[in-house]
């Protein structure tokens, strides 16, 4: 959950979905969201498209301005094939968290290519991967955002940009104005954002992915690359948003940056610290990255805010996130987000720039996926949404685990461009067999086609 723009996006997507099908009489409509049937599986199909987002290229502390550059993406699961950070918000108790990638022996695995050359499109086929032999379509400075150190608002207006891509298509971006309030900062931001430009036909020429079906299986076993259970973690860095008091930074322009989280998740630590067996209460958020440090500003993670501890997220078209968690009720308080637990994923560039504010690629659609989210205080129905240019959501809900824990797997299946969120009962060992994962992929429930 971010600021108010997000709820209107979610309302819009629900309305769009609604117009396609008649609601069953069992659906209820609460705070702008439909809740229909309880489910244990939500599958998103046809994830991935061609568009662009505004990548942050500079955060200027002297003028409180934010510069961006339009970066194109395309292909299966895009932009969710990019590196993602994992977010949890209380009331929540995390009992296990893990990330799996296909085993090295699995023939189609070419993650190294994705990681080293994130700007170039990779088309993955069933048996092999190859890089598409086309130049980056267009990368161009398109927007500079606003100043308001003294409560004044300065809007930079932008002329529509027309650029020619390597393949000869034209992209015409029209400026769109948004107003948003920066939650964690003392300034008001009026941001000018270029709407996503779809490069029609740009990705159709060389796509050789196998035919899609409702449950494409994936060959080979999967190995665990990151794992957490209370008090012990491998390749997981726990962070929160309290920069400036031990790690990270604070400024009047951009507020608190990311910081290492303390062992109770609630305050700032000076170095990487493993989360204890704690119940985060309402509104506390912990963010998980890998333990792979970024190579420097504008290095292998792209631009990030100066002075932060910066780590890689979890990238690629084939990845599995597993969770075991409880979301006990927490009615004893009046925080914002009181009794509204959530688990969600963001494009990892968002928290590394400004997660609660306008200086990130979020508004231009670089990707947020809500896996399990309570959207009305005190509700026990967890729903899921995708926020990017293909945004949509499920109207069926998972039962919130208030008293005994729930285990779930989220499978990014680069084979057919699907993302499966599945309640499971298996152990999260150091490997997952092909049968286990394909068993999860074959479970049916609620389907959302993008
Ligand atoms: C840690 O996670 C990162 C991000 O997914 C991955 O690239 C790296 O290989 C992992 N490290 C180990 C030791 O598994």
């Amino acid at each position: 959950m971010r600021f108010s723009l997000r709820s209107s996006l979610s309302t819009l997507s629900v309305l769009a979905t609604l117009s396609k099908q008649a609601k069953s009489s069992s659906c209820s409509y609460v705070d702008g969201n439909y809740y229909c049937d309880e489910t244990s599986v939500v599958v998103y199909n046809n994830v991935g498209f061609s568009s662009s987002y505004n990548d942050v290229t500079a955060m200027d502390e002297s003028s409180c301005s934010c510069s961006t550059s339009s970066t194109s993406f395309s292909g299966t699961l895009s932009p969710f094939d990019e590196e993602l950070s994992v977010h949890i918000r209380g009331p929540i108790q995390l009992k296990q968290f893990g990330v799996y990638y296909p085993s090295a022996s699995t023939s189609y695995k070419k993650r190294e290519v994705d990681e080293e050359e994130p700007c170039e499109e990779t088309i993955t086929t069933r048996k092999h991967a190859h890089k598409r032999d086309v130049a980056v379509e267009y990368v161009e400075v398109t927007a500079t955002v606003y100043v308001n150190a003294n409560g004044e608002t300065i809007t930079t207006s932008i002329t529509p940009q027309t650029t020619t891509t390597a393949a000869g298509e034209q992209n015409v971006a029209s400026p769109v104005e948004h107003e948003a309030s920066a939650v964690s900062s003392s300034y008001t931001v009026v941001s000018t954002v270029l709407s996503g430009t779809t490069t029609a036909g740009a990705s159709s020429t060389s796509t050789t992915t196998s035919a899609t079906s409702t449950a494409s299986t994936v060959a080979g076993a999967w190995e665990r690359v990151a794992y957490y259970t209370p008090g012990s973690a491998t390749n997981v860095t726990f962070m929160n948003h309290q920069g400036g008091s031990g790690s990270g930074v604070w400024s009047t322009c951009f507020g608190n940056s990311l910081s290492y989280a303390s062992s109770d998740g609630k305050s700032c630590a000076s170095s990487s610290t493993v989360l204890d067996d704690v119940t985060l209460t309402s509104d506390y958020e912990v963010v998980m990255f890998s333990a792979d440090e970024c190579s420097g500003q504008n290095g292998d993670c792209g631009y990030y805010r100066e002075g932060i501890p910066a780590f890689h997220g979890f990238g690629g078209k084939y990845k599995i996130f597993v969770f075991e968690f409880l979301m006990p009720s927490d009615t004893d308080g009046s925080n914002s987000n009181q009794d509204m637990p959530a688990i969600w994923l963001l494009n990892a560039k968002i928290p590394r720039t400004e997660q609660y504010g306008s200086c990130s690629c979020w508004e231009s659609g670089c990707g947020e996926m809500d896996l399990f989210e309570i959207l009305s205080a005190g509700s026990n129905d967890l729903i899921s949404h995708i926020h990017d240019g293909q945004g949509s959501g499920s109207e069926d809900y998972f039962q919130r685990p208030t008293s005994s824990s729930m285990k779930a797997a989220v499978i990014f299946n680069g084979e057919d461009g699907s993302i499966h969120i599945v309640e499971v009962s298996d152990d999260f060992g150091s490997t997952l067999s092909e049968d286990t994962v394909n068993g999860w992929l074959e479970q049916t429930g609620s389907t959302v086609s993008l």
Side-chain angles (χ1 to χ4, degrees):
M1 166 73 84
R2 293 182 77 257
F3 44 89
S4 59
L5 183 64
R6 188 180 173 290
S7 5
S8 47
L9 285 173
S10 118
T11 307
L12 282 178
S13 63
V14 166
L15 290 175
T17 314
L18 177 65
S19 63
K20 288 183 207 147
Q21 70 206 50
K23 295 288 94 192
S24 115
S25 57
S26 65
C27 297
S28 54
Y29 184 71
V30 182
D31 294 347
N33 293 286
Y34 276 95
Y35 295 85
C36 295
D37 298 308
E38 186 178 333
T39 188
S40 58
V41 179
V42 171
V43 179
Y44 290 91
N45 285 321
N46 307 316
V47 182
F49 70 122
S50 298
S51 186
S52 62
Y53 61 77
N54 298 331
D55 208 5
V56 174
T57 54
M59 298 172 77
D60 185 340
E61 296 285 356
S62 58
S63 63
C64 296
S65 69
C66 174
S67 303
T68 64
S69 161
S70 179
T71 302
S72 57
F73 60 82
S74 62
T76 314
L77 290 178
S78 66
F80 294 99
D81 56 337
E82 297 190 13
E83 292 188 7
L84 305 176
S85 50
V86 182
H87 302 246
I88 60 172
R89 185 178 65 209
I92 192 166
Q93 185 181 12
L94 190 62
K95 305 299 279 181
Q96 292 190 82
F97 164 69
V99 182
Y100 294 81
Y101 289 140
S103 296
S105 58
T106 303
S107 58
Y108 56 73
K109 198 206 84 171
K110 294 287 181 189
R111 281 186 288 115
E112 297 77 5
V113 175
D114 283 346
E115 283 163 13
E116 284 163 20
E117 299 173 80
C119 294
E120 291 183 75
E121 148 89 291
T122 302
I123 299 295
T124 306
T125 66
R126 184 172 287 276
K127 290 293 171 214
H128 67 282
H130 63 271
K131 207 146 47 78
R132 193 164 59 139
D133 191 22
V134 190
V136 172
E137 287 157 25
Y138 60 101
V139 175
E140 184 179 349
V141 174
T142 52
T144 302
V145 197
Y146 338 105
V147 184
N148 189 3
N150 307 319
E152 297 148 12
T153 301
I154 297 172
T155 304
T156 309
S157 64
I158 294 170
T159 341
Q161 311 268 326
T162 303
T163 58
T164 305
T165 67
E169 301 91 347
Q170 285 207 321
N171 305 310
V172 180
S174 37
V176 179
E177 298 235 329
H178 292 295
E179 281 206 330
S181 62
V183 173
S184 65
S185 313
S186 55
Y187 69 113
T188 303
V189 177
V190 177
S191 65
T192 305
V193 182
L194 294 173
S195 57
T197 54
T198 302
T199 53
S203 65
S204 60
T205 47
S206 62
T207 304
T208 53
T209 45
S210 54
T212 57
S213 73
T214 47
S216 290
T217 54
V218 176
W222 297 66
E223 66 190 64
R224 201 172 68 190
V225 297
Y227 184 64
Y228 162 78
T229 193
S232 148
T234 305
N235 204 12
V236 181
T237 305
F238 297 89
M239 312 202 83
N240 54 19
H241 300 282
Q242 305 194 20
S245 51
S247 53
V249 293
W250 178 88
S251 74
T252 44
C253 292
F254 301 110
N256 297 92
S257 75
L258 275 182
S259 52
Y260 292 114
S262 57
S263 60
D264 67 1
K266 296 184 172 182
S267 56
C268 183
S270 56
S271 60
S272 183
T273 303
V274 177
L275 192 68
D276 272 344
D277 194 4
V278 289
T279 299
L280 286 177
T281 48
S282 293
D283 212 29
Y284 280 102
E285 176 181 341
V286 167
V287 188
M288 293 177 283
F289 291 84
S290 76
D292 262 10
E293 216 163 345
C294 297
S295 66
Q297 262 185 322
N298 302 311
D300 56 6
C301 293
Y303 176 83
Y304 58 80
R305 183 172 172 187
E306 190 159 5
I308 69 164
F311 291 84
H312 283 275
F314 301 99
K317 294 180 193 298
Y318 292 87
K319 57 198 169 205
I320 298 176
F321 296 97
V322 296
F323 301 91
E324 181 176 1
F325 61 99
L326 275 135
M327 291 173 163
S329 89
D330 175 20
T331 52
D332 192 18
S334 54
N335 292 309
S336 59
N337 297 318
Q338 183 70 42
D339 208 21
M340 292 173 68
I343 299 178
W344 72 108
L345 306 169
L346 291 180
N347 187 313
K349 291 172 172 173
I350 298 170
R352 288 192 305 246
T353 49
E354 191 184 23
Q355 185 177 333
Y356 293 100
S358 286
C359 190
S360 83
C361 57
W362 183 82
E363 284 184 21
S364 56
C366 61
E368 164 174 348
M369 180 164 190
D370 303 326
L371 302 173
F372 304 101
E373 184 174 25
I374 295 294
L375 282 171
S376 297
S379 164
N380 285 328
D381 300 340
L382 292 165
I383 53 177
S384 167
H385 285 99
I386 277 185
H387 301 279
D388 72 345
Q390 285 188 306
S392 192
S394 168
E395 294 164 0
D396 294 335
Y397 55 87
F398 296 91
Q399 183 65 45
R400 170 176 171 178
T402 49
S403 54
S404 56
S405 66
M406 162 174 167
K407 286 163 115 179
V410 182
I411 305 134
F412 285 71
N413 185 355
E415 207 71 13
D416 63 357
S418 62
I419 302 175
H420 296 240
I421 309 174
V422 186
E423 253 187 272
V424 300
S425 55
D426 309 73
D427 289 337
F428 300 142
S430 57
T431 58
L432 294 173
S433 71
E434 178 176 335
D435 284 353
T436 299
V437 173
N438 287 332
W440 294 346
L441 289 172
E442 280 158 8
Q443 285 188 44
T444 54
S446 187
T447 300
V448 182
S449 283
L450 304 185

